[in-house]
Amino acid sequence: MSDEQSGAKNTLSIRDNRTGRDYEVEIHEGDVIRAMDLRQIKVDEGDFGMMSYDPAFVNTASTRSTVTYIDGANGILQYRGYPIEQLAERSSFLEVAYLLLKGELPTQSELDAFVQDVTFHTYVHENMRDLLDSFRYDAHSMGMMISAVSALSTFYPEAKNVHDPDTRWIQINRLVAKMPTLAAFAYRYHRGLPLVYPENELSYSANFLNMLFRIGVKEYRPNPVLERALDVLFILHADHEQNCSATTMRVIGSAEADPFSAMAGAMAALYGPLHGGANEQVLRMLHRIGDVKNVPEFIKGVKNREERLMGFGHRVYKSYDPRAAIIKRTAEEVFEVTGRNPLLDIALELERIALEEDFFVSRNLYPNVDFYSGLIYQALGFPVEMFPVLFAIPRTVGWLAQWQELIEDPEQRIARPRQVFTGSERREFVPVEERG
Ligand code: CMC
């Protein structure tokens, strides 16, 4: 029966019991009402009007987006409609980057041109070396990266011209291209190693591995399994719709800041241990547990709320994180080359126990993308400080796709949430000598 036959209407009726008035607001795109439609609900004319209160935006859509689709209940993740499993299996990171940024998979010639553009922009201004040199010897790589990306805005002042699509595209190419170079520089600085410059004939991932790990040889060719594993990890991390850092990117971008400055903010959000800093925390946690025999005691601590099981749980995925399943398989392939990471046994035992325990099952706590990625990064030779950086490199693409969508969206204006004020009412200033 159609809506018309059944008399069903795509509207929501609201009765304000304070006044007895009835309102009818339109329902859009399935289950969405416009928050501004609530504003008409008032007790009297002087009233501001009804708002919704939603700390942490748990039930608020801040945008319409065509980039990434997640069905958290069923463990589905799609970029521009393509399932993450197919992209991880059959695509390359730069092909996925093009898809996310442009909306469609590239033709061969479009892909070749994009790869050429990204390759062409991998070098950074030599002054960036001085900037990185100025950090303390033990500076965290992510802190260095955030500063470096923000500094890039001063090298490209034209990036402020955010409404010009051609200028935007050049900055996008620059950011995608320069992130691995800056990341490798930060890593080599940390290790006290001479910097290695980009090599244009290598793939995106191979070039990155070359800049990181080449020492004392003219040519460095990474193991193809490891090169592919890194590319797959990059694909899995490329975007994840309106998460904390993407929202930060959009909020800063809404003030029309240049993309380098906006991205430095997004990276700062990603750095947090509840977001992209979690993979680092997983490794630290596994080291702390130290042995499979200590796992039950650790789980007890989690249930007593003395600990948090890092790498578990997700705001959106409530069945499983499809990225975690792919990463677990990738880990096995990597370990065949590098040898088994001894922490894997602790991770597997944590997962086994957690998936049986009611505390985790009843709260829908499953391994997320960060649970196994750190083990792969460690096997590839990365120190833990580099883990959030390894998240930031591919997520650059997602941030920029989200930023571009925001800039082109006529409905978007400067982000400015409301508050429910709960502080004190007006009161008179008291001079310090009269305060009790
Ligand atoms: N260990 C133990 N308990 C947990 C965990 C965890 N990892 N995650 C959630 N809970 C509990 C939480 O205490 C709460 O219990 P109760 O209802 O009894 O108070 C319940 O589960 C719901 O948790 P929440 O904190 O309301 O969930 P959230 O949606 O606000 O938080 C999260 C999501 C990812 C921040 C959280 O699950 C967490 O802190 N996980 C560990 C950090 C982590 O792995 N982060 C990476 C996320 S995936 C990559 C990314 O997106 O950056």
Side-chain angles (χ1 to χ4, degrees), residues 274-275 278 305 308-309 311-315 363 365 368 370:
L274 297 189
H275 191 6
R305 299 181 183 277
R308 188 155 271 244
L309 180 48
F312 261 66
H314 201 276
R315 172 63 61 78
R363 290 175 177 79
L365 298 174
N368 61 46
D370 288 318

Side-chain angles (χ1 to χ4, degrees), residues 125-144:
H125 194 289
E126 280 291 289
N127 287 7
M128 292 301 288
R129 296 180 62 139
D130 299 336
L131 177 85
L132 296 176
D133 265 351
S134 66
F135 281 89
R136 215 172 77 161
Y137 69 96
D138 59 350
H140 195 287
S141 313
M142 194 64 175
M144 294 173 79

Side-chain angles (χ1 to χ4, degrees), residues 150-211:
S150 132
L152 280 182
S153 80
T154 65
F155 291 89
Y156 306 111
E158 73 275 17
K160 287 186 176 61
N161 192 4
V162 296
H163 290 294
D164 179 57
D166 293 338
T167 310
R168 276 206 308 267
W169 185 240
I170 294 171
Q171 314 320 319
I172 287 171
N173 277 302
R174 281 182 171 140
L175 273 163
V176 174
K178 292 182 201 309
M179 284 292 283
T181 312
L182 291 172
F185 282 10
Y187 168 80
R188 307 258 324 183
Y189 175 78
H190 211 269
R191 296 265 144 144
L193 293 168
L195 303 187
V196 174
Y197 284 89
E199 281 204 23
N200 289 357
E201 69 275 14
L202 296 177
S203 75
Y204 191 79
S205 299
N207 179 44
F208 182 43
L209 290 168
N210 174 56
M211 290 188 289

